[in-house]
Amino acid sequence: MKKIAVLSLLIPLGALLAGCNQIEETAGEIASDAASQVAGAAAEEVQQQVCSLVSDGNVSAGDRELLGGLVDAAETAGVPAEITGPLRDIAAAGDQVPAESVEALNEACAPSS
């Protein structure tokens, strides 16, 4: 009789543990999806900031300083290399902003057709 009582407790306990495992996996998937969405939104935001600063083709000293401050954020956020490469070149250029880097950024920022 004791064996039946113990077995009757073990079966629901096993089902409960299996359910907890599934909940843990689902929670992990949800957290991973949320992290991916946040990272994507951060990359998009940084890219929009960069693109807005170079959209007129002129990069002032103030724009250059702002762009320089965005290099690490862009790379950390996962902004594509076609943006981060020219961005890094502009940040490293000093007073003479390379026109080809500004042009490359404008091309990378242009909406795809």
Side-chain angles (χ1 to χ4, degrees):
M1 188 70 162
K2 285 185 179 182
K3 288 182 182 181
I4 292 174
V6 169
L7 284 176
S8 67
L9 290 175
L10 287 179
I11 292 172
L13 181 61
L16 178 65
L17 290 176
C20 288
N21 218 11
Q22 181 62 40
I23 290 170
E24 184 179 334
E25 287 177 21
T26 301
E29 290 171 8
I30 291 170
S32 177
D33 288 348
S36 294
Q37 289 176 357
V38 168
E44 187 174 318
E45 178 61 30
V46 172
Q47 184 170 332
Q48 285 177 353
Q49 289 177 12
V50 169
C51 292
S52 70
L53 288 170
V54 298
S55 63
D56 64 358
N58 296 314
V59 177
S60 68
D63 292 343
R64 185 180 45 78
E65 190 173 321
L66 290 171
L67 289 167
L70 291 171
V71 173
D72 289 336
E75 289 176 341
T76 300
V79 173
E82 60 264 11
I83 301 280
T84 58
L87 182 60
R88 185 165 288 288
D89 293 342
I90 290 170
D95 292 337
Q96 296 297 320
V97 175
E100 62 274 1
S101 296
V102 174
E103 186 177 315
L105 276 177
N106 276 321
E107 287 177 17
C109 290
S112 301
S113 302

